[in-house]
Amino acid sequence: DAGVIQSPRHEVTEMGQEVTLRCKPISGHNSLFWYRQTMMRGLELLIYFNNNVPIDDSGMPEDRFSAKMPNASFSTLKIQPSEPRDSAVYFCASSLGQASTGELFFGEGSRLTVL
Amino acid sequence: GENVEQHPSTLSVQEGDSAVIKCTYSDSASNYFPWYKQELGKRPQLIIDIRSNVGEKKDQRIAVTLNKTAKHFSLHITETQPEDSAVYFCAATFNTNAGKSTFGDGTTLTVKP
């Protein structure tokens, strides 16, 4: 398996623009997680899905952030409108879900810079 | 919710020395404790984990210990090498939450040759 695939790897945008980050989890994994990593706040869980259903979105910073998982092989994280403080590395991770050990498999991350 | 505290935030050792990183957690229901290593510019990757029914686990130069009563667990790296230099994250997981992990803030380990 190719692992968790994220795109784009790097995104530079201007404040106010819409940003869409994409993730393809490992085939067969039932849980998908979106994390944000910054120097100040470390690794923060934004939202996670189990069997394509959002389970916990309490980490989503505000209404500007939204996430979807229309099917088992694709998820998006959208920021609209983007702000400079959204600059971070966004990681998508997947796991086997409730039947698993709990190990997370991370993608390479999407580095977002909002000017 | 779960709260994980990790210490120290930075650690510098000489090559060949041992390194110890400690974490505490708050939710006694957590039952799976992974450790992830993140090299500069790379993704976090699992290096070792332990379940709540085990007190210690070892894999070559890496070991993890768990004290459920005190709610703390530690990572031990022996005979450190420069390639061990990275950021290490501990996490606490409650399995029935489909593997939702709460991470510590990370420890930057530097191994000096």
Side-chain angles (χ1 to χ4, degrees), chain A residues 35 37 56 101 104 106, chain B residues 36 38 43 51 97 100-101:
Chain A
Y35 282 89
Q37 186 175 38
D56 184 350
T101 60
L104 295 175
F106 286 85
Chain B
Y36 291 84
Q38 185 178 27
R43 59 185 151 186
R51 299 201 162 282
N97 281 342
K100 175 184 173 181
S101 294

Side-chain angles (χ1 to χ4, degrees), chain A residues 41-55:
Chain A
R41 301 175 69 88
L43 269 167
E44 301 175 274
L45 178 64
L46 300 178
I47 185 171
Y48 79 98
F49 298 83
N50 191 36
N51 293 322
N52 311 339
V53 176
I55 303 300

Side-chain angles (χ1 to χ4, degrees), chain B residues 29-105:
Chain B
S30 290
N31 57 7
Y32 172 67
F33 306 92
W35 286 87
Y36 291 84
K37 176 183 180 182
Q38 185 178 27
E39 297 177 351
L40 188 63
K42 301 289 184 63
R43 59 185 151 186
Q45 291 188 292
L46 181 77
I47 55 170
I48 194 168
D49 55 16
I50 192 168
R51 299 201 162 282
S52 58
N53 59 347
V54 175
E56 184 174 356
K57 183 177 179 180
K58 188 174 182 180
D59 183 3
Q60 299 183 336
R61 298 186 296 109
I62 296 173
V64 57
T65 58
L66 171 65
N67 183 326
K68 280 187 63 180
T69 303
K71 290 190 281 192
H72 66 70
F73 56 113
S74 301
L75 177 70
H76 304 254
I77 307 174
T78 59
E79 301 172 23
T80 54
Q81 301 167 3
E83 51 264 39
D84 294 329
S85 297
V87 179
Y88 292 81
F89 293 94
C90 64
T93 309
F94 181 39
N95 267 357
T96 61
N97 281 342
K100 175 184 173 181
S101 294
T102 301
F103 283 83
D105 288 339

Side-chain angles (χ1 to χ4, degrees), chain A:
Chain A
D1 200 310
V4 177
I5 300 173
Q6 291 187 245
S7 64
R9 292 292 311 280
H10 302 275
E11 174 95 2
V12 179
T13 190
E14 293 189 346
M15 183 174 63
Q17 296 297 307
E18 177 179 295
V19 173
T20 299
L21 308 178
R22 298 172 178 80
C23 176
K24 181 182 186 320
I26 293 173
S27 178
H29 281 195
N30 297 324
S31 295
L32 182 140
F33 305 78
W34 282 101
Y35 282 89
R36 177 172 68 176
Q37 186 175 38
T38 61
M39 288 295 293
M40 293 298 295
R41 301 175 69 88
L43 269 167
E44 301 175 274
L45 178 64
L46 300 178
I47 185 171
Y48 79 98
F49 298 83
N50 191 36
N51 293 322
N52 311 339
V53 176
I55 303 300
D56 184 350
D57 65 354
S58 59
M60 295 287 262
E62 48 200 272
D63 292 344
R64 298 185 297 107
F65 286 69
S66 62
K68 293 182 180 179
M69 192 165 185
N71 56 62
S73 59
F74 184 66
S75 177
T76 59
L77 178 67
K78 186 175 292 187
I79 308 173
Q80 166 63 18
S82 59
E83 297 182 2
R85 59 191 167 123
D86 301 331
S87 297
V89 179
Y90 291 81
F91 285 103
C92 176
S94 68
S95 75
L96 281 167
Q98 291 187 350
S100 80
T101 60
E103 178 183 357
L104 295 175
F105 295 82
F106 286 85
E108 298 280 8
S110 294
R111 181 176 295 276
L112 173 64
T113 303
V114 183
L115 303 175

